[in-house]
């Protein structure tokens, strides 16, 4: 129960500041550009797929949305002191961590789901641009959801070890940049050294391509979930460590 | 340990890095006690309170609140107390009502109990017209009121308040003190403050800490007596005298300093028709006769002569003096010698010319 109250409060607080609205509008705008203008727009692709959405969404999510949303989670509470008020209520530390996590993940998922507008508009109503294979779409969204879960957990972890939102933003950005971009590129080089599969496996992108093809690979699910659980556990430890400093 | 001990701190120490913020702090607070927790800045009051509310853990020692151990059962500890942290940090993006509702939900209050409690809280904290306002837009004092409301919302048996009155206006201060006196009959309240008048009004007992150690703990009267001194107030007419000329300030000071048993002379502000002095003398003696005779001999007109207990403030200065000097960068050795002689006998040389006069 405590977890839900905290999550609820967290999610609500995003909407009392302009942050949530700005991020949502920006995302929709970028997606619009992506679909209709960039590289000749969706119309140039002769197949009816959402490949492009799933190809670019990870960049937007990991390099902008998640760092912005998670940077304040615990860092802000530490620097303003509200953490003391929150934690001295009868709550467990893990409830605080989980509640904050769910609140932030809630907003990220609202964003992810808001992009459903595009496939619906293009293939169901008002335009019927031909039959689309819904399998990859569903799998793709599952992939985005799992990736968001992992990315948000990483952001929360980083926000829990610093008091500065700016530092939290940049470290989260750098970490996710590594996972999404560097490891993808690095995989190609590493392949020559014979460790290509390992490096590629660690990159977010490689898992996302599977999902976008409609492939739900258990290894990918486990990959994202273990990052999530692992990050949350460290965040919990980081929060707990205040007691001993 | 008897059952009505509500807060039990047992040899608490807390080390931050290499800095020892608390050093073997032990005390007990029983049910129905309102205890003032005093000490200079950085003495370790907030640190102690944070340990008692399980926000941080002690480096060594332990504590029990309402019979629950802070290590083993932090949730039960927090359930049984209401806590107002220093400076009342609250989420600025919520309205007062939303915030208090959030706290009530987290504390497991159902909504009808919450509404009932809110009536009382609005009255005590004076929040009637602020319930719909964003906390971020409130003045400091109002934020502190909300913090208080938050600590009181579940009507806890134990209250731990860290400088609850620091930002309040005199009206609200008085209201809070009244409320504390009222609920203090069957609750347990540990209250830190720098305002010693409040302590004299609201508390029967005080604990004074300095540099992480407890330097006094007991009933206010016992603490006042702790320096072994009493205070005299002497006010002399400045314009008239029965014989000779009207006394000058230095003359009065010199006379007072010469009287045997007077250990400290300090001028106190009065209107421009009188000289006022505050003296300290031994606890068991009474210098009033002496003083009166001295003034009669001179033919000066005594407007007021009073003997009473030391003010809490004086005791506070006295007990924290050594640490205070260290923080002001005064040499440590110099005071060691002075203190050797007679416990609490001498007072700072700098603001005490009477001392010098006496020697000269
Ligand atoms: N998190 C921390 N890290 C390092 N030092 C700390 C920390 N918290 C407190 N201290 C130190 O511990 C000492 C006691 O601090 P504390 O806040 O308990 O003092 P206080 O008695 O509440 O003072 P004040 O009257 O100014 O509120 C101070 O010297 C402070 O610098
Ligand atoms: Mg303090």
């Amino acid at each position: 129960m405590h977890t839900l109250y905290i999550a609820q409060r967290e999610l609500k607080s995003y909407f009392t500041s302009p942050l949530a609205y700005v991020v949502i509008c920006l995302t929709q705008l970028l997606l619009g550009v992506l679909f209709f203008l960039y590289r000749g727009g969706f119309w140039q692709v002769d197949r009816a797929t959402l490949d492009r959405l799933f190809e670019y969404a990870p960049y937007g999510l990991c390099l902008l949305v998640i760092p912005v949303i998670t940077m304040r989670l615990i860092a802000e509470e530490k620097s303003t002191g509200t953490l003391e008020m929150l934690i001295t209520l009868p709550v467990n530390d893990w409830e605080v961590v989980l509640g904050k996590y769910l609140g932030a993940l809630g907003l990220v998922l609202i964003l992810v789901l808001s992009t459903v507008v595009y496939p619906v508009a293009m293939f169901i109503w008002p335009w019927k641009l031909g039959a689309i294979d819904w399998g990859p779409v569903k799998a793709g969204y599952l992939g985005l959801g799992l990736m968001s879960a992992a990315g948000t957990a990483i952001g929360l972890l980083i926000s829990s070890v610093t008091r500065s939102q700016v530092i939290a933003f940049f470290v989260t950005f750098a970490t996710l940049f590594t996972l999404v971009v560097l490891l993808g590129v690095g995989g190609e080089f590493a392949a020559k050294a014979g460790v290509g599969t390992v490096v590629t496996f660690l990159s977010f992108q490689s898992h996302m391509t599977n999902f976008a093809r409609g492939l739900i690979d258990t290894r990918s699910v486990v990959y994202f979930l273990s990052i999530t659980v692992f990050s949350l556990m460290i965040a919990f430890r980081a929060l707990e460590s205040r007691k001993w400093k | 340990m008897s059952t009505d001990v509500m807060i039990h701190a047992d040899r608490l120490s807390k080390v931050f890095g290499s800095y020892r913020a608390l050093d073997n702090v032990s005390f007990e607070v029983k049910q129905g006690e309102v205890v003032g927790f005093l000490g200079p800045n950085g003495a370790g009051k907030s640190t102690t309170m944070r340990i008692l509310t399980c926000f941080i853990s002690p480096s060594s020692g332990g504590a029990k609140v309402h019979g629950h151990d802070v290590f083993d059962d932090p949730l039960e500890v927090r359930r049984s107390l209401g806590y107002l942290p220093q400076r009342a940090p609250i989420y600025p993006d919520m309205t007062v009502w939303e915030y208090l509702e959030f706290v009530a939900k987290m504390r497991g209050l159902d909504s009808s109990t919450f509404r009932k409690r809110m009536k009382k809280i609005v009255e005590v904290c004076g929040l009637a017209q602020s319930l719909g306002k964003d906390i971020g837009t409130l003045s400091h004092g109002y934020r502190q009121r909300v913090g208080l409301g938050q600590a009181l919302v579940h009507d806890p048996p134990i209250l731990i308040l860290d400088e609850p009155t620091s930002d309040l206006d005199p009206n609200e201060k008085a209201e809070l003190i009244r409320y504390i006196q009222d609920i203090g009959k069957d609750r347990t309240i540990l209250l830190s403050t720098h305002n010693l008048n409040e302590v004299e009004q609201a508390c029967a007992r005080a604990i004074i800490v300095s540099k992480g150690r407890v330097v006094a703990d007991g009933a206010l009267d016992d603490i006042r007596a702790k320096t072994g001194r009493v205070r005299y107030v002497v006010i002399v007419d400045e314009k008239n005298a029965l014989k000779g000329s009207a006394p000058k300030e230095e003359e009065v000071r010199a006379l007072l300093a010469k009287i045997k048993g007077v250990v400290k002379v300090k001028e106190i502000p009065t209107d421009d028709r009188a000289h006022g002095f505050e003296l300290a003398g031994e606890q068991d003696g009474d210098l009033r006769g002496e003083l009166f005779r001295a003034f009669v001999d001179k033919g000066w007109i005594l407007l007021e002569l009073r003997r009473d207990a030391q003010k809490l403030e004086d005791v506070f200065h006295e007990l924290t003096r050594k640490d205070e000097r260290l923080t002001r960068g005064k040499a440590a050795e110099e005071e060691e010698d002075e203190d050797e002689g007679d416990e609490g006998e001498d007072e700072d040389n700098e603001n005490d010319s009477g001392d010098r006069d006496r020697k000269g």
Side-chain angles (χ1 to χ4, degrees), chain B residues 227-239:
Chain B
T227 52
R229 289 189 192 172
V230 285
R231 190 172 75 107
Y232 298 87
V233 173
V234 179
I235 297 184
V236 193
D237 195 326
E238 177 182 337
K239 298 273 191 257

PDB file of all heavy atoms in Angstrom, chain B residues 227-239:
ATOM      1  N   THR B 227      24.786  25.598  38.774  1.00  0.00           N
ATOM      2  CA  THR B 227      26.002  26.392  38.815  1.00  0.00           C
ATOM      3  C   THR B 227      26.380  26.752  40.245  1.00  0.00           C
ATOM      4  O   THR B 227      27.421  27.336  40.479  1.00  0.00           O
ATOM      5  CB  THR B 227      25.823  27.711  38.045  1.00  0.00           C
ATOM      6  OG1 THR B 227      24.651  28.339  38.534  1.00  0.00           O
ATOM      7  CG2 THR B 227      25.719  27.474  36.564  1.00  0.00           C
ATOM      8  N   GLY B 228      25.510  26.420  41.204  1.00  0.00           N
ATOM      9  CA  GLY B 228      25.804  26.730  42.591  1.00  0.00           C
ATOM     10  C   GLY B 228      25.708  28.215  42.895  1.00  0.00           C
ATOM     11  O   GLY B 228      26.299  28.723  43.827  1.00  0.00           O
ATOM     12  N   ARG B 229      24.969  28.928  42.094  1.00  0.00           N
ATOM     13  CA  ARG B 229      24.891  30.373  42.292  1.00  0.00           C
ATOM     14  C   ARG B 229      23.462  30.847  42.274  1.00  0.00           C
ATOM     15  O   ARG B 229      22.572  30.180  41.783  1.00  0.00           O
ATOM     16  CB  ARG B 229      25.581  31.072  41.127  1.00  0.00           C
ATOM     17  CG  ARG B 229      27.060  30.934  41.133  1.00  0.00           C
ATOM     18  CD  ARG B 229      27.520  31.841  40.083  1.00  0.00           C
ATOM     19  NE  ARG B 229      28.906  31.627  39.754  1.00  0.00           N
ATOM     20  CZ  ARG B 229      29.468  32.222  38.730  1.00  0.00           C
ATOM     21  NH1 ARG B 229      28.751  33.008  37.939  1.00  0.00           N
ATOM     22  NH2 ARG B 229      30.731  32.028  38.466  1.00  0.00           N
ATOM     23  N   VAL B 230      23.251  32.026  42.837  1.00  0.00           N
ATOM     24  CA  VAL B 230      21.972  32.692  42.667  1.00  0.00           C
ATOM     25  C   VAL B 230      22.232  34.037  42.023  1.00  0.00           C
ATOM     26  O   VAL B 230      23.361  34.517  41.946  1.00  0.00           O
ATOM     27  CB  VAL B 230      21.229  32.907  44.000  1.00  0.00           C
ATOM     28  CG1 VAL B 230      20.639  31.614  44.491  1.00  0.00           C
ATOM     29  CG2 VAL B 230      22.164  33.526  45.017  1.00  0.00           C
ATOM     30  N   ARG B 231      21.156  34.652  41.631  1.00  0.00           N
ATOM     31  CA  ARG B 231      21.272  35.885  40.881  1.00  0.00           C
ATOM     32  C   ARG B 231      20.649  37.017  41.704  1.00  0.00           C
ATOM     33  O   ARG B 231      19.623  36.808  42.369  1.00  0.00           O
ATOM     34  CB  ARG B 231      20.481  35.693  39.589  1.00  0.00           C
ATOM     35  CG  ARG B 231      20.653  36.748  38.549  1.00  0.00           C
ATOM     36  CD  ARG B 231      19.957  36.259  37.286  1.00  0.00           C
ATOM     37  NE  ARG B 231      18.508  36.377  37.435  1.00  0.00           N
ATOM     38  CZ  ARG B 231      17.787  37.299  36.804  1.00  0.00           C
ATOM     39  NH1 ARG B 231      18.370  38.144  35.982  1.00  0.00           N
ATOM     40  NH2 ARG B 231      16.490  37.370  36.976  1.00  0.00           N
ATOM     41  N   TYR B 232      21.287  38.151  41.707  1.00  0.00           N
ATOM     42  CA  TYR B 232      20.694  39.325  42.350  1.00  0.00           C
ATOM     43  C   TYR B 232      20.485  40.392  41.299  1.00  0.00           C
ATOM     44  O   TYR B 232      21.324  40.561  40.405  1.00  0.00           O
ATOM     45  CB  TYR B 232      21.628  39.893  43.430  1.00  0.00           C
ATOM     46  CG  TYR B 232      21.898  38.946  44.557  1.00  0.00           C
ATOM     47  CD1 TYR B 232      22.942  38.027  44.462  1.00  0.00           C
ATOM     48  CD2 TYR B 232      21.119  38.968  45.710  1.00  0.00           C
ATOM     49  CE1 TYR B 232      23.197  37.151  45.485  1.00  0.00           C
ATOM     50  CE2 TYR B 232      21.381  38.083  46.746  1.00  0.00           C
ATOM     51  CZ  TYR B 232      22.414  37.172  46.633  1.00  0.00           C
ATOM     52  OH  TYR B 232      22.667  36.306  47.651  1.00  0.00           O
ATOM     53  N   VAL B 233      19.404  41.107  41.431  1.00  0.00           N
ATOM     54  CA  VAL B 233      19.206  42.250  40.558  1.00  0.00           C
ATOM     55  C   VAL B 233      19.166  43.495  41.439  1.00  0.00           C
ATOM     56  O   VAL B 233      18.442  43.537  42.438  1.00  0.00           O
ATOM     57  CB  VAL B 233      17.892  42.125  39.763  1.00  0.00           C
ATOM     58  CG1 VAL B 233      17.619  43.401  38.982  1.00  0.00           C
ATOM     59  CG2 VAL B 233      17.971  40.926  38.827  1.00  0.00           C
ATOM     60  N   VAL B 234      19.987  44.476  41.070  1.00  0.00           N
ATOM     61  CA  VAL B 234      20.079  45.696  41.868  1.00  0.00           C
ATOM     62  C   VAL B 234      19.807  46.878  40.959  1.00  0.00           C
ATOM     63  O   VAL B 234      20.443  47.010  39.914  1.00  0.00           O
ATOM     64  CB  VAL B 234      21.506  45.856  42.456  1.00  0.00           C
ATOM     65  CG1 VAL B 234      21.602  47.126  43.261  1.00  0.00           C
ATOM     66  CG2 VAL B 234      21.877  44.636  43.271  1.00  0.00           C
ATOM     67  N   ILE B 235      18.871  47.732  41.348  1.00  0.00           N
ATOM     68  CA  ILE B 235      18.629  48.924  40.544  1.00  0.00           C
ATOM     69  C   ILE B 235      18.734  50.161  41.443  1.00  0.00           C
ATOM     70  O   ILE B 235      18.119  50.226  42.509  1.00  0.00           O
ATOM     71  CB  ILE B 235      17.262  48.837  39.842  1.00  0.00           C
ATOM     72  CG1 ILE B 235      17.312  47.635  38.884  1.00  0.00           C
ATOM     73  CG2 ILE B 235      16.969  50.121  39.075  1.00  0.00           C
ATOM     74  CD1 ILE B 235      16.116  47.450  38.040  1.00  0.00           C
ATOM     75  N   VAL B 236      19.569  51.111  40.991  1.00  0.00           N
ATOM     76  CA  VAL B 236      19.887  52.281  41.816  1.00  0.00           C
ATOM     77  C   VAL B 236      19.443  53.552  41.093  1.00  0.00           C
ATOM     78  O   VAL B 236      19.618  53.665  39.878  1.00  0.00           O
ATOM     79  CB  VAL B 236      21.411  52.390  42.053  1.00  0.00           C
ATOM     80  CG1 VAL B 236      21.708  53.393  43.131  1.00  0.00           C
ATOM     81  CG2 VAL B 236      21.993  51.048  42.370  1.00  0.00           C
ATOM     82  N   ASP B 237      18.936  54.495  41.844  1.00  0.00           N
ATOM     83  CA  ASP B 237      18.539  55.777  41.255  1.00  0.00           C
ATOM     84  C   ASP B 237      19.776  56.509  40.742  1.00  0.00           C
ATOM     85  O   ASP B 237      20.777  56.636  41.448  1.00  0.00           O
ATOM     86  CB  ASP B 237      17.813  56.619  42.326  1.00  0.00           C
ATOM     87  CG  ASP B 237      17.064  57.777  41.697  1.00  0.00           C
ATOM     88  OD1 ASP B 237      17.564  58.308  40.683  1.00  0.00           O
ATOM     89  OD2 ASP B 237      15.989  58.132  42.214  1.00  0.00           O
ATOM     90  N   GLU B 238      19.700  56.997  39.544  1.00  0.00           N
ATOM     91  CA  GLU B 238      20.859  57.613  38.901  1.00  0.00           C
ATOM     92  C   GLU B 238      20.868  59.135  39.098  1.00  0.00           C
ATOM     93  O   GLU B 238      21.888  59.799  38.989  1.00  0.00           O
ATOM     94  CB  GLU B 238      20.818  57.251  37.408  1.00  0.00           C
ATOM     95  CG  GLU B 238      21.902  57.856  36.564  1.00  0.00           C
ATOM     96  CD  GLU B 238      21.769  57.480  35.098  1.00  0.00           C
ATOM     97  OE1 GLU B 238      21.145  56.445  34.791  1.00  0.00           O
ATOM     98  OE2 GLU B 238      22.270  58.241  34.256  1.00  0.00           O
ATOM     99  N   LYS B 239      19.693  59.690  39.367  1.00  0.00           N
ATOM    100  CA  LYS B 239      19.564  61.146  39.420  1.00  0.00           C
ATOM    101  C   LYS B 239      19.662  61.710  40.835  1.00  0.00           C
ATOM    102  O   LYS B 239      20.102  62.820  41.041  1.00  0.00           O
ATOM    103  CB  LYS B 239      18.210  61.569  38.823  1.00  0.00           C
ATOM    104  CG  LYS B 239      18.060  61.205  37.365  1.00  0.00           C
ATOM    105  CD  LYS B 239      18.629  62.295  36.464  1.00  0.00           C
ATOM    106  CE  LYS B 239      18.233  62.063  35.028  1.00  0.00           C
ATOM    107  NZ  LYS B 239      19.295  61.508  34.199  1.00  0.00           N
TER     108      LYS B 239
END
